[in-house]
Amino acid sequence: MKRIGEAREARRRMYDAAVRARRASLHSNDSVVANATSTGGRLDSIPWGEVNTASSPAASDLAWVQCQPCDQCYAQSFPIFDPKQSPGFVMTNNQDSYCNSVQAIETIGRGADDSLCDYQTGYADGTSTFGYIAKDQFNFWDAGAGSDGVTVSVPGMGFGCGTKNTYGVQTVVSGVLGMGFGRALSMGEQFLALNGVSPAFAFCFAPIFSDPNSGWLMFGDGALPPSDYPSTPLLQDEGFSVYFYVELVDFVIGDQRVGVPADVFDIDSDDQTGGVIVDVGDIVSIITTDAYAPFRAAWINAVIDILGEPGVPGPDGLDTCWDYPNVVGLPSIGFLFSNGNVLRLSPEATQLIFIDDNNVRRMCWPFLQKSEESSTFASMVIGAVSLHSTEVIFDTENNIFAWNPRQC
């Protein structure tokens, strides 16, 4: 629960910084400033140590790992990547197209010459990375080959080799995997450029407390959604195309619509705020007050005969909680999209179970109300918990968001 709080605060700061930059780009008469800030805020040429307060949606595109030799690295669970041990590793320079794509994004590129291509970026949670752009062969298990363990090798994949890194929250991860929407830096777009395969990707999260905690991430043509999967369009927002927008219109509990205000999820064309994005960097889904209030009231009404009135609130804004009952059969929750399709949340995604400070097992409704003070640009963020035990597909070539309930 503490980690959820840290992640929530970090994402809030990132969104706040992004919307400030976005508004600046919309209202500035200086074309240079507008071009720089439209990707989420310019990082000026400042010492590396100061970078950790900056954030940029463009950072969502770039994949990076910690690399030896490290000038400054945090502890991770796997050995830090040593380029000398990888025969396919090459450093890029200003003659390389991927390097030039990085340098074209002013919030990431830090200059390139005939021997080196520098990058630098930061995230709102205090994470930062500085290093150089490299390429190497990436190996993937061929999902179409069954359980034979066949691998597919993709040479020439671009990524950041971080030699000065900090991580803003306690972690053991090796780096960040960039999956942003529709730019050359992201992993999916590299698949398209290098192999001619679809930039689509799909994943399936197992429930938090599953044992083993399984799940998977798939790239390429095999990730494309079958025609019988329910789906809804991915919206391309010109100001912030790195995010995955969907057109949500209402919530469904059981077989009843909640009836949120008709315009509550609209995008404000004046300052480019509002809308609904899918972003699993947020653990719990966050909803604007005008939609959250009727949604919460409808949920309490639907479960009051089963659970009674909500009790003591949980940590970090989780305000709808109960002592965990021995047997729980709760109504389903669905997200209704403009094309009429409904994403039904799995039973695991409708409850967040934890042990409180008094060693009491408790259960919270896993949605958060967006605070009035927050300048977060989205009206709703669909987070990771809402997608547990659901195969989720991002077909970025055809602008389709699809899903299928399944065990991961």
Side-chain angles (χ1 to χ4, degrees):
M1 300 305 295
K2 179 181 178 183
R3 190 70 57 82
I4 288 176
E6 292 174 344
R8 179 192 177 199
E9 176 61 19
R11 301 297 285 189
R12 183 193 66 77
R13 293 198 306 268
M14 185 188 77
Y15 289 132
D16 289 352
V19 75
R20 288 194 298 270
R22 190 175 196 179
R23 286 170 175 163
S25 72
L26 287 167
H27 300 301
S28 173
N29 293 321
D30 184 339
S31 62
V32 174
V33 174
N35 288 338
T37 56
S38 64
T39 56
R42 178 174 178 172
L43 290 179
D44 293 325
S45 297
I46 55 179
W48 169 82
E50 300 176 23
V51 111
N52 58 2
T53 59
S55 64
S56 168
S60 300
D61 294 345
L62 181 68
W64 60 268
V65 296
Q66 299 198 110
C67 288
Q68 297 281 14
C70 257
D71 292 329
Q72 178 180 325
C73 283
Y74 57 84
Q76 64 179 55
S77 57
F78 289 102
I80 293 175
F81 175 62
D82 184 354
K84 293 180 180 178
Q85 304 300 315
S86 182
F89 180 88
V90 293
M91 298 170 64
T92 65
N93 59 22
N94 58 6
Q95 303 301 312
D96 181 84
S97 59
Y98 188 80
C99 170
N100 291 332
S101 294
V102 172
Q103 299 304 323
I105 300 176
E106 193 166 351
T107 53
I108 296 181
R110 278 296 168 269
D113 55 27
D114 58 4
S115 62
L116 198 64
C117 182
D118 287 337
Y119 80 92
Q120 173 179 313
T121 194
Y123 305 78
D125 63 356
T127 299
S128 60
T129 177
F130 172 86
Y132 55 89
I133 299 299
K135 289 185 173 181
D136 206 340
Q137 176 174 296
F138 280 46
N139 298 316
F140 301 88
W141 176 61
D142 185 354
S147 58
D148 296 334
V150 177
T151 59
V152 174
S153 297
V154 183
M157 294 285 284
F159 66 102
C161 216
T163 57
K164 292 182 179 180
N165 315 294
T166 61
Y167 217 91
V169 297
Q170 184 179 359
T171 187
V172 294
V173 302
S174 304
V176 170
L177 181 65
M179 299 296 295
F181 193 172
R183 284 203 290 223
L185 272 61
S186 71
M187 193 68 70
E189 293 300 317
Q190 288 197 70
F191 276 114
L192 177 63
L194 294 172
N195 277 14
V197 300
S198 170
F201 63 94
F203 59 79
C204 196
F205 289 149
I208 291 176
F209 297 116
S210 61
D211 187 20
N213 197 322
S214 59
W216 48 263
L217 170 66
M218 183 183 295
F219 298 98
D221 295 346
L224 290 169
S227 58
D228 59 345
Y229 275 24
S231 65
T232 196
L234 283 171
L235 308 179
Q236 275 281 28
D237 173 70
E238 293 181 359
F240 247 30
S241 61
V242 69
Y243 290 111
F244 296 97
Y245 282 86
V246 290
E247 194 169 6
L248 184 73
V249 296
D250 205 353
F251 304 107
V252 179
I253 298 176
D255 58 358
Q256 298 294 315
R257 287 185 58 168
V258 170
V260 300
D263 61 351
V264 71
F265 296 128
D266 287 354
I267 294 177
D268 189 323
S269 58
D270 291 332
D271 61 6
Q272 292 290 290
T273 59
V276 177
I277 62 174
V278 184
D279 187 349
V280 296
D282 273 300
I283 299 175
V284 180
S285 294
I286 303 170
I287 308 170
T288 191
T289 300
D290 289 345
Y292 180 87
F295 186 23
R296 179 179 184 270
W299 176 252
I300 292 173
N301 183 64
V303 302
I304 196 166
D305 291 340
I306 304 171
L307 301 175
E309 291 283 353
V312 177
D316 199 62
L318 293 168
D319 61 4
T320 311
C321 305
W322 296 264
D323 290 346
Y324 188 77
N326 291 327
V327 178
V328 181
L330 300 177
S332 64
I333 293 176
F335 297 157
L336 174 63
F337 296 99
S338 60
N339 63 349
N341 286 333
V342 177
L343 192 167
R344 290 280 178 183
L345 277 60
S346 69
E348 298 90 344
T350 62
Q351 50 190 292
L352 190 60
I353 302 167
F354 67 101
I355 306 297
D356 69 9
D357 293 339
N358 297 316
N359 205 34
V360 175
R361 194 181 192 200
R362 306 203 67 217
M363 177 183 73
C364 290
W365 189 57
F367 297 93
L368 291 170
Q369 179 177 208
K370 190 177 82 169
S371 67
E372 294 182 0
E373 294 79 18
S374 173
S375 57
T376 295
F377 63 85
S379 297
M380 178 175 175
V381 181
I382 299 175
V385 169
S386 294
L387 302 176
H388 280 175
S389 298
T390 300
E391 178 184 359
V392 178
I393 299 171
F394 295 83
D395 180 357
T396 57
E397 191 171 24
N398 299 301
N399 291 343
I400 293 173
F401 173 67
W403 60 88
N404 182 47
R406 64 182 297 173
Q407 294 300 312
C408 302

